[in-house]
Amino acid sequence: MSQLEAINILAKQAEKVGFVSQPLSKLAGAPALPETSAFWASNYALILALQPSSGDLSSLREAVQSGQEWLDIACMQRESQVGSVVDGYLLIILDHAPDEAAAGVIHQIELDPTACRKHFAWPSQVTTDEADLRWSRIYRVTAIGLPASPENSRMTGSPILEADLQKRLLNDIKQFGAQESARRHASDAKMGPDA
């Protein structure tokens, strides 16, 4: 279960909501990032995915700090280009589930709103061949976590009507218009259901 698998899932989801993969650039005043990092940009947000150098708490905190600093500078630069606020999302990808102590630290980091939203993903311990299920924590990244909307070709402007009264009302609206149909059905209701 490689971390590259997680990056591929993130890339697929990010693309669905308008993010474009970008090369990592060296930013003045920002820390250097590992070559394994990945970066996506849109007009409204930036997503940075990092992998800590090891699984210990020190490496985890270091990855969060450098990712947060880099994203803060990247967001400010992007804001000056697009002329509006740009949100930052940092995803730290771990190669295995954290132990109890690390899980507590991760929870605190995810609640910290400083500079950007912070998320962590690691493979679940559920045995499955589906990568999306193994890396389900990726879907907590709020910028990509919403499900895709159906395509326009599958959407319809007409409701599904089951009751005879609903079908008759729709036919009347098509034939007489909304106002006349409302008047007719209001007077039918006053007379009773058999009118």
Side-chain angles (χ1 to χ4, degrees):
M1 291 180 276
S2 81
Q3 293 167 321
L4 181 59
E5 185 177 66
I7 295 290
N8 291 335
I9 292 168
L10 181 60
K12 180 177 67 174
Q13 291 305 118
E15 185 178 304
K16 285 182 183 179
V17 292
F19 284 89
V20 177
S21 178
Q22 302 283 306
L24 279 173
S25 54
K26 294 187 188 257
L27 302 174
L33 297 176
E35 290 183 20
T36 56
S37 304
F39 176 58
W40 295 266
S42 74
N43 287 336
Y44 62 92
L46 305 176
I47 300 173
L48 175 63
L50 294 178
Q51 301 165 29
S53 56
S54 70
D56 63 52
L57 285 178
S58 175
S59 295
L60 190 133
R61 285 188 175 107
E62 183 180 309
V64 169
Q65 185 66 34
S66 60
Q68 179 175 289
E69 288 174 15
W70 191 92
L71 256 180
D72 191 35
I73 292 170
C75 284
M76 286 189 288
Q77 284 187 359
R78 185 73 172 186
E79 287 170 350
S80 68
Q81 294 169 352
V82 298
S84 61
V85 174
V86 175
D87 292 330
Y89 295 86
L90 175 61
L91 175 63
I92 304 295
I93 301 173
L94 307 176
D95 59 2
H96 61 279
D99 61 25
E100 193 173 321
V105 170
I106 286 170
H107 181 69
Q108 289 174 341
I109 291 170
E110 286 182 323
L111 293 176
D112 174 20
T114 306
C116 63
R117 290 293 315 243
K118 292 169 265 310
H119 300 275
F120 289 80
W122 55 82
S124 71
Q125 296 176 350
V126 175
T127 305
T128 179
D129 290 334
E130 294 185 47
D132 285 342
L133 293 177
R134 249 191 323 274
W135 290 95
S136 62
R137 281 189 62 93
I138 287 174
Y139 296 95
R140 292 182 179 196
V141 177
T142 47
I144 65 163
L146 296 174
S149 298
E151 295 175 18
N152 287 339
S153 61
R154 288 194 238 150
M155 296 178 76
T156 153
S158 300
I160 298 171
L161 305 176
E162 296 175 357
D164 289 336
L165 178 63
Q166 291 173 325
K167 292 175 187 174
R168 195 169 95 214
L169 178 59
L170 183 59
N171 286 334
D172 285 353
I173 291 171
K174 288 178 184 176
Q175 184 177 358
F176 303 112
Q179 193 171 25
E180 177 61 20
S181 297
R183 190 189 60 71
R184 286 172 179 246
H185 281 263
S187 60
D188 286 352
K190 287 179 185 174
M191 290 189 220
D194 297 327

